[in-house]
Amino acid sequence: MASPLFVILKINLRKFQNRGFLIREGSGRTKVQSIWHYVQEFDVILFSSTLTISSSRSHSPTPPPNGWRSGYIIAMIIFGFFVLVLHESFVARAFS
């Protein structure tokens, strides 16, 4: 369903580039700096994937045997929390 919209947007993007309205400027970072930048911005993906994984197991067609008290549900929540805390403590940038 999204294919026609994608094609229209790509065609118009190419038109804008050919006419000079859209000029892409480089970020000024090397490959290593770009990789480190996206590692630092990883927290949004990490947070959303943690929420998705923890809610998908509890709402699946075959629910956990003990609900939220199941061992692997508790382990996923604790592991996700610790990964998020470690990432935010040592890797993520602080906004000033």
Side-chain angles (χ1 to χ4, degrees):
M1 290 181 67
S3 297
L5 180 62
F6 178 76
V7 170
I8 290 170
L9 290 174
K10 282 305 240 184
I11 290 171
N12 287 327
L13 179 65
R14 200 163 289 168
K15 284 181 188 178
F16 269 52
Q17 286 174 342
N18 290 340
R19 293 181 184 170
F21 291 123
L22 181 63
I23 300 171
R24 294 197 179 228
E25 297 178 7
S27 64
R29 295 187 298 251
T30 64
K31 292 286 184 189
V32 174
Q33 290 171 336
S34 292
I35 290 170
W36 182 245
H37 169 75
Y38 289 111
V39 166
Q40 289 177 330
E41 297 298 325
F42 181 66
D43 54 351
V44 173
I45 298 168
L46 183 68
F47 180 70
S48 62
S49 62
T50 303
L51 287 177
T52 302
I53 289 172
S54 64
S55 67
S56 67
R57 284 304 307 158
S58 62
H59 299 296
S60 66
T62 57
N66 295 328
W68 286 98
R69 292 178 290 166
S70 297
Y72 63 91
I73 297 291
I74 294 171
M76 281 194 308
I77 292 170
I78 292 172
F79 179 73
F81 175 75
F82 280 120
V83 168
L84 185 64
V85 167
L86 289 174
H87 177 78
E88 291 293 327
S89 298
F90 298 109
V91 179
R93 289 185 293 178
F95 293 105
S96 51

